[in-house]
Amino acid sequence: NRGFKAEENSAAFQVHAGFTDNGPLPKNEVVAKSTVSEVLLMIWIFSKIDKELMREYGTTAARQKFTMPIPTSIIEEIEAGQIDVENTVLSQLLEKHFDYRYWSINPHALFQFGTFELRIANSTTDIQEIESLVDFFGLLTKAVRSKDLGLVNLLKKNIDRDIPLSDLAETLGLKMQKRLCNSFLGAG
């Protein structure tokens, strides 16, 4: 980085984690029930960590409009079991709820790249911070798709409350760095 300082008000840190096996999901078509279920689970999990993650990663008040928390409307539908995962056109469901451009997680990237996109809306040149967030998001995505037993147990334990990032990091086997370290490892 040789003296370069990232300007938090003019740059944003975004991570794409591969979520599909065969590229982008088809838009305006019914996709596999398992894919819909995994996408909804990822959204639900992220709703339980997004505020703490943004706080821990230092998203400033001026940049929060670029990292809106998960829409409550989709969480309410997920938790009420109102989504027919066998017959849902996923792109239409997501467009209905994610109707603003800048959410902390961008599921629309599924139809363009086959990825989920995480937006932090600040910037850094710290390699350890970058690697930590990339590892975190990649491992979370992998755990959701593989139905990791440790993750399943953590979700059951936290069904009615937010998931502490330190518990999630431990479940994923993460060793986080810098700003995330205190939260993920429970250091004081």
Side-chain angles (χ1 to χ4, degrees), residues 21-32:
D21 296 325
N22 301 314
L25 292 176
K27 201 167 186 177
N28 299 318
E29 294 179 22
V30 173
V31 296

Side-chain angles (χ1 to χ4, degrees), residues 5-188:
K5 179 167 178 1
E7 295 292 329
E8 67 181 30
N9 289 323
S10 64
F13 185 18
Q14 301 167 349
V15 176
H16 284 260
F19 201 79
T20 65
D21 296 325
N22 301 314
L25 292 176
K27 201 167 186 177
N28 299 318
E29 294 179 22
V30 173
V31 296
K33 172 183 169 181
S34 60
T35 301
V36 174
S37 297
E38 290 168 358
V39 168
L40 296 177
L41 180 59
M42 185 75 167
I43 290 168
W44 183 82
I45 291 170
F46 205 80
S47 76
K48 296 195 165 277
I49 64 167
D50 64 348
K51 291 176 191 82
E52 185 180 359
L53 183 61
M54 294 305 145
R55 186 174 54 251
E56 288 299 320
Y57 213 80
T59 300
T60 65
R63 300 292 287 173
Q64 287 178 353
K65 67 182 177 184
F66 299 109
T67 59
M68 297 297 289
I70 301 294
T72 56
S73 58
I74 195 164
I75 299 307
E76 290 167 357
E77 278 191 40
I78 291 168
E79 290 180 345
Q82 296 175 337
I83 300 169
D84 176 3
V85 295
E86 290 188 33
N87 300 303
T88 293
V89 176
L90 188 58
S91 63
Q92 291 173 2
L93 174 70
L94 296 175
E95 285 172 10
K96 172 182 155 188
H97 295 285
F98 289 86
D99 57 350
Y100 174 70
R101 180 175 176 159
Y102 301 109
W103 300 97
S104 55
I105 193 171
N106 174 20
H108 297 297
L110 291 165
F111 307 99
Q112 187 173 8
F113 308 111
T115 65
F116 258 105
E117 178 185 14
L118 170 62
R119 296 178 172 138
I120 296 297
N122 68 356
S123 56
T124 184
T125 57
D126 186 306
I127 297 300
Q128 290 179 327
E129 287 182 11
I130 294 167
E131 288 175 348
S132 293
L133 195 59
V134 169
D135 289 347
F136 166 73
F137 202 49
L139 287 171
L140 177 59
T141 300
K142 182 179 178 183
V144 167
R145 296 217 50 232
S146 68
K147 297 158 190 66
D148 179 82
L149 185 57
L151 180 62
V152 170
N153 290 333
L154 179 67
L155 299 179
K156 286 180 184 177
K157 185 172 117 181
N158 293 284
I159 196 84
D160 292 325
R161 62 185 181 108
D162 286 348
I163 300 168
L165 286 175
S166 57
D167 292 357
L168 182 55
E170 183 179 323
T171 298
L172 298 175
L174 288 171
K175 293 183 175 40
M176 304 306 286
Q177 305 292 329
K178 296 283 183 178
R179 276 187 262 192
L180 296 178
C181 184
N182 289 339
S183 176
F184 281 108
L185 298 180

